[in-house]
Amino acid sequence: MLPATPARHARDTRHLFHPDHLEDFLASMRLGLDHLADALTAQAGPATGVLPEQAAKVVADVDLDRPLGDTRAALAEMSRVWLDDAVWFHDPAYVAHLNCPVVVPALLAELFVSSVNSSLDTFDQSVGGTFVERHLIDWTAGRIGFGATADGVFTSGGTQSNLQALHLARDAALAAGHATADLRVLASADGHFSVQKAAKLLGLAPDAVVTVAVDDDHRMDPLALSRALAGVRDAGHVPMAVVATAGTTDFGAIDPLPAVAALAEAHGAWLHVDAAYGGGLLASARLRPRLAGIERADSVTVDYHKTWFQPVSSSALVVRDSRHLGHVTWHADYLNPKDAAHPNQVDKSLQTTRRFDALKLWLTLRVMGPDTIGGYVEDVVDLATAVGERLADHPELELAATPQLSTVVFRYRPAGLAEDTADLLAGRIRATLYERGAAMVAATKVGGRCWLKLTLLNPVATLDDVLAVTDAVAALGRELTAEAAA
Ligand SMILES: *Cc1c(COP(=O)(O)O)cnc(C)c1O
């Protein structure tokens, strides 16, 4: 006889997602939607300018052991600790980092991603999800120009995609009999820091990343790459990988992919194209030619959470030859045994439990289609071009370079202003814009000097919106200069 069911503590299970609690679920979601709508209506400007000390204090004052027991009250508190002062990426005066306003079909998908909570490691935790992800990877691979042997996997972001790409490149080099200490990675001086970080995590030599000089347009100089490759060989080292960037973080520069691919091939080096930023060009018939040569890569990083207007996280690593993904495979009896009857994605991923982020891109493509996404990318690229034209002959603002994708690097420097002063002003202008809640711009260094940067990823923003920000920069430059003189 079976023992009697042990008595359970009487517990309130209304908070669990379950059909028995459908009304509670719907009530919570409606409350949340109304709260979000109120916040969107009240929102005025990209930020309120709250300082870290203030932001930290309201959070620290919350006692997590004393729940409020009420959704409405908890949402109100959430607003105080975060939402009231949140930075809104959809605001036209938010022009700082590579963050995008997100498309609504992707948000709708988020509801399903989190509620159903599928996990993409194995078929038995995701069923159709496994094939949705595969279909999107195949589709992206097709846009890259890879053939039928291509494969890939969704990742948490460009950093993870780049890490995995270099991991595959390293293991391919090790499989060819090379020693870890001899491996070198060649990347442009303007490449993303995640390349350096990946080299470190992969246990490569401290000086494993060889930076290659860029030309006046901040694109990798093929002659410099050729010399660097020869230098690596002369030192008795092995060029494990060449990392080309399709859309550098600061200047949106696209390295000359055909020339870089030819050199990588000639030296037997793995070619990784970091298209975290420029990947959105794959959706635009007009801009796609700028990525010519990307199909010669061994691996490509695409961040859908940048130029595909997806919520974080959404990125992919796509490889030309699926067999290379085997370098991250490990068989566990309890999950993905060697003789597993069903397909899985965990064999290709650095992660195990993994969000069904692919569904967001899926619903986006099914509702809106790729041409709409491509059109948005064209809009922001055109916007940057127009802003660049206005700044090119501005009496007080100086443009660092003609915009190539959707960034504009510039500074306040009227004729006669010393460069040291311009350096100081750049940081103060940026901080003041934030503190006043007027605009959010980014900062970077060019040739050791401080510059401001606009990253334009909002297809709704107009030229006037962005010129209002650059006007505010010029006005603040005058104001702060006058203050310093007084
Ligand atoms: C943003 C970016 C990355 C890093 O991507 P995350 O999604 O932030 O991890 C890598 N490379 C380039 C060129 C980028 O712009």
Side-chain angles (χ1 to χ4, degrees), residues 98 156-162 190-195 245-249 274-278 301 303 305-306 314-315:
L98 272 164
S156 60
T159 303
Q160 192 189 340
S161 297
N162 286 347
D190 279 26
H192 195 261
F193 77 95
S194 54
V195 172
T245 311
T248 58
T249 312
D274 178 359
Y277 177 16
T301 290
D303 264 7
H305 61 213
K306 284 178 179 166
S314 186
S315 175

Side-chain angles (χ1 to χ4, degrees), residues 159 163 166 192-203 209:
T159 303
L163 171 63
L166 290 179
H192 195 261
F193 77 95
S194 54
V195 172
Q196 309 272 356
K197 197 164 168 172
K200 189 166 182 240
L201 290 170
L202 291 168
V209 180

Side-chain angles (χ1 to χ4, degrees), residues 337-404:
K338 233 186 163 106
D339 54 357
H342 290 141
N344 75 69
Q345 294 292 85
V346 73
D347 284 355
K348 312 171 195 173
S349 177
L350 299 183
Q351 295 166 260
T352 305
T353 306
R354 188 159 55 83
R355 279 169 59 83
F356 186 17
D357 285 315
L359 187 67
K360 298 181 287 190
L361 181 62
W362 179 273
L363 219 52
T364 300
L365 293 178
R366 298 315 294 146
V367 174
M368 299 165 55
D371 293 349
T372 306
I373 296 296
Y376 288 169
V377 176
E378 291 166 12
D379 290 346
V380 295
V381 170
D382 292 345
L383 183 58
T385 305
V387 174
E389 281 164 5
R390 292 302 189 94
L391 297 194
D393 41 33
H394 195 286
E396 296 169 295
L397 302 177
E398 183 188 358
L399 194 61
T402 305
Q404 299 183 50

Side-chain angles (χ1 to χ4, degrees), residues 419 445-451:
E419 225 178 354
K445 284 202 168 170
V446 185
R449 294 294 181 177
C450 302
W451 293 73

